[in-house]
Amino acid sequence: MRGGSGAPSLFAVVCLAVISHTAFTASRMTVSLAAIKLMAPTYVVGLLLSLYALLPMLLSVTLGRWIDRVGTRVPMLLGASTLGVAFVIPAIWTAMPALYANSVLGGVGFLLFHMSVQKLTGELADGPDRMRNFGVLAVGFSVSGFFGPISAGYLIDHAGPGASFGGSFALSTLLIAAAFALLKWHWRFDGKTMIGQGVRPPNSRVFDLLRTPELRRMYVAVVMISSAWDVLMFLVPVQGSKIGLSASEIGFVLAAFSAATFVVRVAMPLFIGRITEWQMIGVVQVVAAMVYLVFPLVGSHYGLVALAFVLGLGLGIGQPAVMSLLHRVVPPGRVGEAVGLRMTMINGTQAVLPTLFGSLGSLMSTFLSGALTFAPLFWGVALMVGAGGISSLRHKSE
């Protein structure tokens, strides 16, 4: 990407996405483990993860419209600044109030950055190239999803005496500072001269988007896939701690998931043109359902690594398929708004499910023990997502 104001390259957008997402995933895992170390009950761990999504759930559509109007540069700078504050507070003071602040500020900051990245990626190309762009971005997120938990787990276990949660948060702070510097002084695009932006119709409402049957189906699939993703991100640290895994081992389970998403996303060019977006979305849900039926029955580290890898092979193609479908069917001038509605639904599941799972887990621990504590939750999600997958596989694009 050239300096000065202008159109970004895919390389630059993906680089910024990888740096910011590495910082975010490292901090998100660290929050869970720090809260457990501070003797927080399971429902509090769930609440911390829910707070990442609470304000984004309420603000996504409004911020999406704002990004449509002003471009992506200012929202990305603001998002990076907010993330920096979110990370530095617990890096200096690792206590429960700091963890709450991290969750609230981190959720809003990453929302701004992530929505801008998704909008840029879709507008850099059209047709089949758009799917390829989202495939490349998804590969980048797989890389960051791998290194974030791995680096956080290593620093927690090995940086200083005892568990060093501050070191992990400090790494996230340095990474997001690097992203801010690159965006501010090196890659200075405005993001307003992209392909097919169009003009948002006057007096249009966000729920007008749901009048399109294919968009309605897509948003239902978004909720299903997000639920499947959230189960892993919340329950692996909790369940791993319950069966005695170290922070590094828990990080490795999450990293195996991301490694698998990397593998399947690199292979995506083999799928493009051979299977439809809806077929990809259906496969995602069916694979997730099968893995979650087995997951609570496995209590070994390597068994969880293997299951997480298989789950990653399935869920890995979900995001690029959904985003390509969204850009194809959304009316001109409303991409940011449509992405915002998608983020509202994703953050809605992330705000509700961790707290719900945490509360139910605390209740179930009185009846079940070990890995089986969360078995009913895994199986309930498996049935829901599996039914959605069968419906998606039967659907034909309109």
Side-chain angles (χ1 to χ4, degrees):
M1 179 185 298
R2 62 180 181 274
S5 184
S9 70
L10 182 62
F11 171 79
V13 174
V14 172
C15 280
L16 291 169
V18 168
I19 294 171
S20 63
H21 191 239
T22 300
F24 183 74
T25 53
S27 74
R28 201 163 185 257
M29 186 184 110
T30 306
V31 161
S32 297
L33 296 179
I36 293 169
K37 183 69 173 181
L38 293 170
M39 307 301 293
T42 304
Y43 75 87
V44 171
V45 179
L47 178 61
L48 283 168
L49 295 182
S50 293
L51 288 174
Y52 276 107
L54 180 60
L55 287 180
M57 177 182 67
L58 301 174
L59 298 175
S60 294
V61 173
T62 299
L63 292 177
R65 289 174 175 171
W66 180 54
I67 292 169
D68 279 335
R69 291 197 308 270
V70 305
T72 53
R73 176 173 163 76
V74 172
M76 289 175 79
L77 287 170
L78 180 59
S81 301
T82 306
L83 282 170
V85 175
F87 299 148
V88 79
I89 293 174
I92 297 171
W93 179 44
T94 307
M96 289 304 300
L99 299 184
Y100 283 116
N102 173 273
S103 296
V104 174
L105 294 174
V108 175
F110 188 70
L111 173 72
L112 280 167
F113 208 97
H114 186 58
M115 287 175 62
S116 300
V117 163
Q118 288 187 332
K119 187 172 189 294
L120 280 171
T121 303
E123 292 171 345
L124 282 169
D126 207 351
D129 289 338
R130 177 175 287 152
M131 173 69 91
R132 292 188 181 92
N133 278 6
F134 279 114
V136 172
L137 177 64
V139 168
F141 281 135
S142 296
V143 172
S144 54
F146 178 87
F147 284 108
I150 285 287
S151 58
Y154 180 84
L155 286 172
I156 292 169
D157 283 343
H158 301 290
S164 180
F165 300 104
S168 178
F169 286 120
L171 173 65
S172 293
T173 304
L174 292 174
L175 287 171
I176 203 62
F180 181 92
L182 286 170
L183 183 62
K184 177 69 174 176
W185 292 292
H186 183 54
W187 291 329
R188 301 186 63 181
F189 57 86
D190 58 24
K192 297 176 73 173
T193 57
M194 314 300 292
I195 292 174
Q197 284 201 110
V199 178
R200 181 174 181 264
N203 302 320
S204 57
R205 298 176 300 174
V206 63
F207 289 107
D208 293 341
L209 294 171
L210 299 180
R211 292 179 179 176
T212 305
E214 192 159 22
L215 271 176
R216 284 201 302 270
R217 284 181 173 270
M218 187 207 72
Y219 282 124
V220 170
V222 163
V223 172
M224 297 284 187
I225 295 171
S226 178
S227 298
W229 203 288
D230 292 339
V231 169
L232 184 82
M233 293 299 126
F234 170 64
L235 290 183
V236 163
V238 175
Q239 184 175 352
S241 297
K242 185 177 288 292
I243 64 176
L245 299 185
S246 68
S248 297
E249 289 172 326
I250 292 170
F252 196 81
V253 174
L254 295 176
F257 171 81
S258 295
T261 65
F262 174 85
V263 171
V264 75
R265 287 166 175 177
V266 167
M268 275 197 70
L270 301 176
F271 308 142
I272 296 173
R274 292 179 171 85
I275 61 176
T276 68
E277 292 141 335
W278 278 113
Q279 288 171 330
M280 290 186 188
I281 291 169
V283 168
V284 165
Q285 296 175 87
V286 170
V287 171
M290 291 189 295
V291 169
Y292 283 141
L293 286 174
V294 180
F295 213 95
L297 305 178
V298 177
S300 70
H301 176 225
Y302 291 111
L304 294 180
V305 167
L307 285 175
F309 189 86
V310 174
L311 184 65
L313 292 176
L315 291 180
I317 60 175
Q319 182 188 30
V322 166
M323 290 305 300
S324 175
L325 181 63
L326 183 148
H327 278 77
R328 178 167 62 80
V329 299
V330 166
R334 305 190 69 181
V335 171
E337 185 179 11
V339 171
L341 181 57
R342 172 180 175 268
M343 295 303 299
T344 294
M345 294 182 175
I346 290 175
N347 286 302
T349 66
Q350 291 175 349
V352 172
L353 292 183
T355 299
L356 178 63
F357 289 165
S359 300
L360 292 176
S362 296
L363 178 63
M364 290 173 186
S365 64
T366 61
F367 304 102
L368 300 170
S369 61
L372 287 177
T373 299
F374 297 99
L377 299 178
F378 279 112
W379 294 336
V381 172
L383 291 175
M384 178 186 70
V385 174
I390 293 171
S391 176
S392 295
L393 289 170
R394 291 176 175 174
H395 177 66
K396 295 183 179 179
S397 297
E398 299 171 4

